[in-house]
């Protein structure tokens, strides 16, 4: 059974929660059958928005970097999931190498790497951290605000394997999303498992492809539950070959923003929703919430004219996804919040609220100034409680979040299968 998160429960509720709880046996069986056919990503984090009338994922990260936000109570679940994942991939594994992001001196980020090291150490592996950054030329010890330390060591590439000076790992865990592309040092490895695979990096991944996969999964899931898939799906359009500095591709943007706002208005009317529709314009690849803009009217796009929008590695954004905006009704100490669900292999292992006191209910919260409130797990006896009034039980609400997170994770499985360079279906 999926673990259940508990925290102060706020925000409006709807019939969706009741439908999900009533269908729990069918849902779990459906997921089991899917995982028999498809391999889950090694680890996944999903940003979810709950508007009260709609519950949908808005981003899926295959290199999650907030493991330090999980509480100690969540660690046993993460360790069990890590054991299951490693057992499937490399049961004889004894050494694991973690490869972090190149901006490796960010202590908050390194706390996340240390937490990953802790999880896999407790799963029974020797774990070391190997940097591919050209700045790391010798073992480098960095002290964290907690008083703990992280040792970054320069990786060593032999003809066919990647490791450290005196450390030969069976498995290499990437916590680097490869936005700038996959360096040659990671290619053509012999008898080593690279997790996730190179084509999971942002040099290949596209959010539009992911949400196309999600649409397919949500349609089938909606049929299983007898619900409109729109209730759990953000609609989207895409524009490529955009250059804001030259105003190239702006007509594509205007047309697609206008069309998407019209579709959202139609859905709002169908459900009697008295809110102003909006869309989010963001880079089709990359993370960190960079270059994200809330658009309520086509005229808002004029603010993007002659601007240079870059991703976190300084590359100019030329492909954008225009995504249906989903309001968030979640609050934490009066600040706007959204849940983030963390998974390893096919298991939900924890999560946290991303909270931003200076952002509105229709804005991106993954921005400077955000804080993180970990969600503690319920006692093992606190399973979902069918029969309770919707919204009355935190485990029920978070079971539902876990279902949405797993739908996004399953969509990522489909997406990775479609982009596997060794598969004939690559598109």
């Amino acid at each position: 059974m999926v673990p259940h998160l508990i925290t102060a429960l706020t925000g409006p509720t709807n019939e969706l929660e009741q439908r999900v709880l009533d269908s729990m046996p069918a849902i779990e069986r459906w997921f089991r059958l899917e995982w028999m056919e498809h391999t889950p990503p090694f680890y996944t984090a999903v940003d979810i928005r709950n508007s009260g009338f709609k519950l949908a994922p808005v981003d899926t990260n295959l290199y999650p970097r907030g493991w330090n936000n999980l509480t100690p109570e969540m660690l046993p679940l993460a360790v069990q999931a890590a054991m299951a994942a490693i057992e499937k991939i490399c049961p004889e594994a004894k050494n694991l190498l973690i490869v972090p992001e190149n901006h490796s001196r960010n202590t908050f980020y390194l706390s996340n790497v240390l937490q990953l090291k802790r999880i896999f150490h407790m799963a029974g592996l020797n774990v070391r951290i190997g940097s591919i950054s050209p700045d790391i030329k010798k073992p480098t010890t960095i002290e964290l605000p907690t008083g703990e330390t992280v040792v970054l060591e320069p990786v060593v590439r032999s003809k066919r394997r990647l490791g450290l000076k005196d450390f030969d790992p069976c498995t290499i865990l990437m916590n680097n999303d490869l936005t700038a592309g996959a360096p040659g040092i990671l290619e053509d490895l012999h008898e080593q498992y690279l997790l996730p695979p190179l084509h999971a990096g942002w040099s290949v991944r596209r959010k539009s492809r992911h949400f196309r996969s999600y649409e397919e999964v949500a349609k089938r899931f909606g049929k299983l539950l007898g619900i409109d898939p729109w209730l759990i799906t953000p609609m989207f359009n895409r524009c490529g070959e955009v250059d804001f500095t030259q105003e190239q591709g702006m007509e594509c943007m205007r047309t697609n923003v206008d069309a998407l706002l019209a579709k959202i208005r139609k859905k709002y009317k169908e459900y009697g929703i008295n809110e102003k529709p909006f869309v989010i314009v963001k880079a089709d690849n990359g993370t960190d919430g960079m270059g994200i803009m809330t658009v309520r009217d086509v005229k808002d796009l004029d603010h993007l004219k002659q601007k240079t929008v870059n991703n976190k590695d300084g590359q100019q954004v030329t492909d954008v996804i225009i995504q249906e905006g989903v309001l968030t009704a979640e609050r934490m100490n009066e600040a706007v919040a959204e849940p983030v669900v963390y998974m390893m292999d096919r298991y939900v292992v924890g999560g946290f609220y991303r909270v931003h006191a200076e952002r509105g209910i229709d804005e991106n919260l993954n921005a400077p100034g955000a804080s993180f409130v970990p969600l503690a797990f319920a006692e093992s006896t606190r399973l979902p409680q069918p029969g309770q009034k919707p919204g009355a039980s935190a485990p029920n609400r978070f079971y539902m979040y876990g279902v949405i997170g797993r739908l996004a994770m399953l969509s990522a499985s489909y997406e990775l299968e479609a982009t596997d360079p060794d598969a004939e279906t690559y598109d």
Side-chain angles (χ1 to χ4, degrees):
M1 184 56 67
V2 177
H4 309 286
L5 310 164
I6 61 167
T7 188
L9 189 66
T10 57
T13 58
N14 49 48
E15 295 171 15
L16 182 61
E17 182 178 312
Q18 194 61 57
R19 188 68 61 93
V20 166
L21 290 169
D22 291 345
S23 307
M24 209 167 63
I27 289 170
E28 295 304 324
R29 178 178 182 272
W30 186 82
F31 274 121
R32 279 198 307 274
L33 294 175
E34 286 292 331
W35 295 130
M36 287 172 70
E37 299 291 328
H38 305 282
T39 303
F42 188 77
Y43 54 5
T44 315
V46 179
D47 297 355
I48 296 173
R49 301 278 283 210
N50 173 21
S51 67
F53 55 84
K54 182 173 182 131
L55 180 71
V58 293
D59 220 347
T60 301
N61 188 356
L62 300 185
Y63 299 86
R65 294 172 301 167
W67 292 94
N68 52 313
N69 293 318
L70 306 192
T71 63
E73 291 84 355
M74 298 180 190
L75 279 181
L77 291 160
V79 170
Q80 284 182 319
M83 285 176 170
I86 291 292
E87 199 172 294
K88 278 198 307 192
I89 295 159
C90 184
E92 71 278 9
K94 63 177 184 177
N95 293 339
L96 176 86
L97 182 69
I98 298 176
V99 176
E101 292 276 1
N102 282 359
H103 57 77
S104 299
R105 293 181 185 274
N106 177 327
T107 55
F108 186 80
Y109 169 73
L110 287 174
S111 296
N112 146 78
V113 175
L114 186 62
Q115 182 81 309
L116 276 173
K117 181 180 178 181
R118 192 177 288 123
I119 289 167
F120 286 97
H121 176 73
M122 288 192 281
L125 295 167
N126 300 314
V127 187
R128 285 165 67 177
I129 302 164
S131 176
I132 58 173
S133 168
D135 298 335
I136 303 295
K137 296 180 171 64
K138 61 181 182 179
T140 304
T141 301
I142 298 173
E143 188 164 336
L144 304 181
T146 57
E148 299 169 294
T149 57
V150 170
V151 179
L152 303 176
E153 301 179 70
V155 297
V156 175
R157 173 68 195 244
S158 65
K159 188 175 179 184
R160 308 180 79 183
R161 293 174 75 85
L162 188 73
L164 303 177
K165 187 179 176 186
D166 53 355
F167 188 75
D168 185 31
C170 154
T171 306
I172 299 160
L173 178 64
M174 297 296 297
N175 198 242
N176 179 325
D177 62 20
L178 304 175
T179 301
I185 197 170
L186 297 174
E187 294 176 345
D188 302 318
L189 297 175
H190 179 67
E191 293 182 354
Q192 281 181 309
Y193 296 92
L194 186 68
L195 304 170
L198 289 178
H199 64 280
W202 281 120
S203 53
V204 175
R205 273 195 87 200
R206 293 294 178 271
K207 294 179 185 186
S208 53
R209 187 187 282 121
H210 172 75
F211 282 103
R212 201 158 62 231
S213 295
Y214 184 86
E215 274 184 345
E216 292 171 25
V217 168
K219 277 178 190 169
R220 290 173 37 235
F221 186 76
K223 195 173 178 183
L224 175 75
L225 264 62
I227 61 167
D228 179 353
W230 177 75
L231 295 171
I232 56 171
T233 309
M235 297 187 288
F236 71 95
N237 288 326
R238 175 186 172 274
C239 284
E241 299 181 17
V242 174
D243 185 338
F244 299 111
T245 58
Q246 302 295 320
E247 295 189 33
Q248 181 183 326
M250 293 304 289
E251 198 50 48
C252 172
M253 296 265 288
R254 288 189 192 93
T255 302
N256 280 288
V257 165
D258 205 33
L260 193 52
L261 285 170
K263 284 168 79 173
I264 301 167
R265 271 192 291 272
K266 189 177 175 185
K267 276 293 183 184
Y268 279 15
K269 189 175 179 184
E270 179 185 336
Y271 284 93
I273 297 162
N274 189 26
E275 297 286 354
K276 186 172 174 63
F278 67 101
V279 298
I280 300 291
V281 177
K282 54 187 173 182
D284 202 14
N285 68 329
T287 51
D288 288 349
M290 298 185 76
I292 293 183
M293 179 186 185
T294 300
V295 177
R296 300 168 191 84
D297 187 279
V298 174
K299 292 175 191 165
D300 294 344
L301 292 173
D302 291 341
H303 295 298
L304 286 174
K305 281 183 181 177
Q306 297 180 331
K307 278 192 177 181
T308 302
V309 182
N310 295 332
N311 66 22
K312 69 172 188 178
D313 280 335
Q315 296 174 315
Q316 192 169 326
V317 172
T318 57
D319 295 300
V320 298
I321 180 172
I322 301 155
Q323 191 177 66
E324 175 187 358
V326 182
L327 299 167
T328 177
E330 302 280 4
R331 291 289 183 282
M332 187 65 69
N333 300 326
E334 301 305 311
V336 176
E338 64 188 9
V340 184
V341 175
Y342 268 55
M343 291 158 286
M344 191 173 289
D345 194 61
R346 61 193 178 94
Y347 305 102
V348 176
V349 298
F352 53 84
Y353 266 130
R354 182 183 288 117
V355 183
H356 207 304
E358 295 169 14
R359 292 282 171 123
I361 60 172
D362 60 352
E363 292 183 289
N364 165 50
L365 305 187
N366 188 8
S371 58
F372 306 91
V373 179
L375 301 172
F377 270 96
E379 310 85 38
S380 58
T381 53
R382 292 287 302 277
L383 298 174
Q385 300 160 340
Q388 285 234 9
K389 196 168 118 184
S393 161
N396 286 357
R397 174 68 61 87
F398 286 101
Y399 173 75
M400 188 166 65
Y401 290 169
V403 168
I404 298 298
R406 286 184 291 162
L407 288 174
M409 177 169 59
L410 178 60
S411 307
S413 299
Y414 284 42
E415 175 196 357
L416 292 179
E417 287 168 11
T419 56
D420 186 345
D422 297 325
E424 294 178 8
T425 54
Y426 192 118
D427 62 4

